[in-house]
Amino acid sequence: GQRIEAGRRLDELLGKLAADYWRRREVLLLRLHITGDAADRDQFIEAARRRYEAAPGNEAEVIAYAELLTAAQRKNAAIEVLQKAAARLPESRLVEARLLDLLDTTNRETDAIAFLTARLQATQAREDLALQRVRLLLATGRRQEGCDALDQLLKGRVPEQRAATHLDTARWLRTRNLLSEAAAVLERLVSEQPRRWDARKELGELYVVLKRADDLDKLFSAKIADEVA
């Protein structure tokens, strides 16, 4: 009885929460948790599927169904739902974010790059997506393609903006332990803006970890120091 009452109250709460409310996922997963055994959970997910199929253009129903599939470890099915929704609701930043997040957690970088490429063809002004695509290209070993895309993204930008993007990208790569790729990005920045000692310092740290002693010596050689004095 208590489980049924708790479920009813959570259903009422979910009906009032916006699709992008920051704790909606938590409430939804709690609702799934109290459904009972596996059969009850499957029935709950099936009900979400029917609501989604009855209103495939409803952002909240799309997200709810995808979240439930994800919680049930049916992530590929969730990705399919979100891919269809992204095509149907191209203006939905929430669907877009959920799809990219799920592609990331399932290590489907190639699919993420394809999605970003298609999305940018339709909305070229989305610099956030362009930068995300650059990072994924670099992270998947497509270094030259990634660097070319980075150059295109930063075309016409002032040096400070160019430096900030290079540094942020290198740090993102570093968090993923992609040290060689991070070094390559910083090398481009140091070559372009030799007075950026913050970039030179971070690049030096990478050279130490990568055991590139010769490159480290060259980075802080007297000749270069004179050049940037």
Side-chain angles (χ1 to χ4, degrees), residues 9-23:
R9 292 185 177 183
L10 287 172
D11 287 339
E12 290 179 356
L13 179 58
L14 285 168
K16 297 176 181 177
L17 297 179
D20 59 351
Y21 179 65
W22 68 284
R23 297 193 67 180

Side-chain angles (χ1 to χ4, degrees), residues 46-218:
E46 175 61 19
R49 183 190 67 79
R50 289 195 297 268
R51 290 193 300 272
Y52 155 71
E53 291 186 346
N58 185 308
E59 183 184 61
E61 296 297 350
V62 169
I63 296 300
Y65 183 41
E67 295 285 10
L68 289 173
L69 289 172
T70 301
Q73 300 303 315
R74 294 161 60 182
K75 294 181 179 179
N76 287 335
I79 287 172
E80 290 181 11
V81 168
L82 291 170
Q83 286 174 327
K84 291 177 181 178
R88 188 179 296 112
L89 303 168
E91 74 287 351
S92 174
R93 297 290 183 96
L94 184 58
V95 169
E96 174 186 281
R98 289 288 195 275
L99 174 57
L100 288 170
D101 180 60
L102 198 50
L103 289 172
D104 179 54
T105 58
T106 54
N107 299 314
R108 290 175 58 171
E109 291 91 351
T110 300
D111 289 331
I113 291 171
F115 172 74
L116 290 167
T117 301
R119 184 57 58 98
L120 285 166
Q121 290 175 347
T123 55
Q124 296 181 7
R126 291 288 304 280
E127 294 181 358
D128 58 327
L129 297 185
L131 180 57
Q132 197 167 352
R133 179 175 178 273
V134 165
R135 291 176 173 180
L136 287 175
L137 287 170
L138 293 168
T140 52
R142 297 160 67 175
R143 183 180 296 181
Q144 188 57 54
E145 192 176 352
C147 288
D148 291 344
L150 182 59
D151 286 340
Q152 182 63 33
L153 174 63
L154 297 177
K155 187 176 182 179
R157 299 296 181 83
V158 299
E160 189 62 34
Q161 292 175 319
R162 295 178 62 85
T165 301
H166 277 84
L167 286 167
D168 287 345
T169 299
R171 289 164 185 164
W172 181 87
L173 290 165
R174 195 169 179 173
T175 63
R176 296 196 166 205
N177 205 36
L178 298 168
L179 305 187
S180 294
E181 289 75 10
V185 171
L186 289 175
E187 285 168 348
R188 293 166 62 85
L189 176 56
V190 169
S191 176
E192 177 185 308
Q193 299 184 42
R195 294 181 183 272
R196 295 291 309 209
W197 284 100
D198 51 349
R200 195 177 292 274
K201 174 180 177 295
E202 292 190 28
L203 179 56
E205 292 171 351
L206 288 170
Y207 283 162
V208 170
V209 176
L210 293 168
K211 302 186 186 313
R212 292 170 57 177
D214 291 343
D215 290 324
L216 182 63
D217 289 341
K218 292 177 183 178

